[in-house]
Amino acid sequence: MATIKKESFGKLSDGREVELYTLCNTKGTEVKVTTYGARLVAWSAFGKDHERTDIVLGYADGASYEKDDTSMGGLVGRHANRIAGGKVTIDGKTYQLDLNTGSHNQNHIHGGFQGFHQKLWTAEETDQGVKFTYHAADGEGGYPGNMTVHVLYSLSNDNELSIRYEAVSDADTVCNLTNHAYFNLNGFASGPVLNQKIQIFADKYTWADAESLPDGRILDVAGTPMDLRQPTRIGEHIDDDFDELVMGKGYDHNWVIRDEKPVVEMKPADPSCPIDYVGGGLKKAAYAESDQSGFTLTCYTTQPGVQFYTGNFLNGGLPGKDGVEFQRRTGFCLETQYFPNAFANPNFPQPILKKGDTWKAQTVYVLGQKD
């Protein structure tokens, strides 16, 4: 298994201690995660020039993450992405969630004013990695039910970063968890990602309005700038005069992942560093690459959708690692998820966790090198 190192990551404004865990495999690849928001802080590996490159945008301590308003690297929940009017109906009862996004703060996003990425989690080392736990109280953010969430970060010797989710609740509730890491395959300090390439394994996407809310339409990507079925330079069409891109100020949309198994069977070559995979199989969601660094990133998931977001609203102002301020489009996200605004669109998969059931999901990011 990967070796694990624990250290202090500073204190929050209320004096609580924050911890940082570093997982390191036999290739020298390192993944850093913190108890504040169960966030992915760093992911560094040796590139083609044998220099270490950190491909995840992030901050230097817990206090900086506390000030962050971009969900940087965060474990987002109870519901990732947006819900129109913040209203959900479960078992005939309507719940009003926090209204914390939209042009007039009329919608809900990422769990509310104090989502999971803004909570201090507990952590324990296991034989597979670092397991984070958070207990969400009934009514927190407006959600029903006391819910316990476990998130396991694992790093294999094949540079597979696995994020496994499990959740249980004592009442029917909402559950749609994701990770909000911003990636830059040239390194977190290297500037815009527009020359890096993206490929999304999806033939359809969900239309979204100026508030990033789908209305139920599932559209073909063919013949549009949303067609990313082949590796495409991120900046190739990002500013096209296309309604969805204009309203989103770039890519910030949900793609419907093809319902098929991965092309490559995911079995770590080194059995001394195993990763358990959630039953039902992982689908290939996305692939990214950089000609400059030579790094590739492949995303697999059990979830039905992926939000490809190009950091259109990053605007600096808060120094990150090495004092870098993250400006517009200097990172991209691959947020695996249920489709946004599903409660208003019954034709979408519904993110409901039934009392007594265990919700399970997994996303695996694989860091590689171009041939």
Side-chain angles (χ1 to χ4, degrees):
M1 61 171 286
T3 61
I4 302 174
K5 180 179 71 173
K6 173 185 171 183
E7 58 191 308
S8 173
F9 203 44
K11 296 183 178 180
L12 300 179
S13 57
D14 60 7
R16 288 181 296 169
E17 294 279 349
V18 183
E19 297 168 346
L20 183 72
Y21 289 82
T22 301
L23 294 83
C24 184
N25 69 14
T26 56
K27 294 180 178 177
T29 299
E30 292 185 348
V31 167
K32 295 179 183 291
V33 287
T34 178
T35 49
Y36 182 72
R39 299 189 187 221
L40 177 61
V41 172
W43 187 1
S44 63
F46 293 103
K48 61 183 181 180
D49 297 324
H50 305 290
E51 292 186 5
R52 181 178 291 279
T53 300
D54 180 357
I55 67 165
V56 169
L57 278 58
Y59 300 100
D61 51 44
S64 296
Y65 278 100
E66 191 177 18
K67 299 172 185 175
D68 169 65
D69 62 1
T70 69
S71 308
M72 188 80 69
L75 195 291
V76 177
R78 292 187 195 191
H79 186 280
N81 222 310
R82 296 160 178 84
I83 298 175
K87 293 186 184 299
V88 299
T89 300
I90 304 173
D91 299 330
K93 183 176 181 180
T94 298
Y95 298 88
Q96 180 61 61
L97 309 180
D98 287 349
L99 299 177
N100 64 322
T101 191
S103 55
H104 299 93
N105 275 346
Q106 75 275 32
N107 302 314
H108 177 87
I109 191 172
H110 294 343
F113 293 111
Q114 285 291 310
F116 289 173
H117 60 295
Q118 296 161 300
K119 300 294 186 178
L120 190 62
W121 296 54
T122 60
E124 61 178 311
E125 300 178 23
T126 77
D127 60 356
Q128 293 225 342
V130 181
K131 181 180 179 181
F132 293 96
T133 300
Y134 179 69
H135 303 286
D138 178 38
E140 186 177 290
Y143 292 97
N146 296 291
M147 189 165 81
T148 297
V149 182
H150 301 292
V151 178
L152 175 66
Y153 285 90
S154 303
L155 176 65
S156 81
N157 286 329
D158 288 329
N159 286 349
E160 298 170 326
L161 173 59
S162 166
I163 308 174
R164 284 194 60 170
Y165 308 86
E166 288 192 6
V168 295
S169 174
D170 64 3
D172 291 359
T173 191
V174 180
C175 188
N176 181 25
L177 311 180
T178 196
N179 183 278
H180 206 296
Y182 291 77
F183 298 105
N184 187 322
L185 298 183
N186 293 333
F188 68 82
S190 64
V193 296
L194 298 180
N195 284 328
Q196 295 170 38
K197 293 179 181 177
I198 186 70
Q199 181 179 16
I200 300 180
F201 298 91
D203 304 308
K204 298 179 182 296
Y205 71 102
T206 52
W207 182 91
D209 64 15
E211 302 291 347
S212 296
L213 291 166
D215 65 356
R217 281 180 282 173
I218 298 176
L219 305 178
D220 290 332
V221 300
T224 78
M226 315 302 276
D227 189 349
L228 302 173
R229 290 176 292 182
Q230 298 299 320
T232 304
R233 194 173 65 86
I234 292 174
E236 186 75 19
H237 297 291
I238 198 170
D239 290 319
D240 281 10
D241 186 13
F242 183 72
D243 279 353
E244 282 91 315
L245 293 177
V246 172
M247 289 188 292
K249 296 179 172 53
Y251 291 110
D252 189 9
H253 302 80
N254 172 73
W255 273 258
V256 181
I257 304 167
R258 294 183 197 132
D259 192 13
E260 58 188 29
K261 293 293 189 296
V263 174
V264 179
E265 183 69 17
M266 298 187 64
K267 291 182 179 178
D270 186 346
S272 69
C273 189
I275 286 180
D276 283 343
Y277 298 109
V278 167
L282 291 147
K283 299 173 292 185
K284 185 184 284 189
Y287 168 84
E289 67 178 28
S290 167
D291 290 334
Q292 178 179 323
S293 68
F295 281 120
T296 66
L297 185 70
T298 309
C299 173
Y300 300 87
T301 188
T302 59
Q303 293 288 73
V306 60
Q307 187 90 2
F308 173 51
Y309 171 51
T310 46
N312 309 311
F313 297 98
L314 294 176
N315 61 2
L318 181 62
K321 293 178 287 190
D322 293 345
V324 175
E325 294 189 15
F326 302 115
Q327 304 295 338
R328 186 172 189 242
R329 297 177 175 172
T330 56
F332 65 87
C333 303
L334 296 169
E335 304 161 67
T336 55
Q337 60 180 5
Y338 285 96
F339 307 164
N341 202 28
F343 288 94
N345 300 293
N347 59 312
F348 289 177
Q350 296 297 300
I352 294 177
L353 169 61
K354 304 294 287 185
K355 175 182 176 180
D357 288 350
T358 300
W359 185 86
K360 295 183 179 182
Q362 183 177 28
T363 296
V364 178
Y365 298 100
V366 183
L367 186 61
Q369 279 282 338
K370 293 182 66 178
D371 295 333

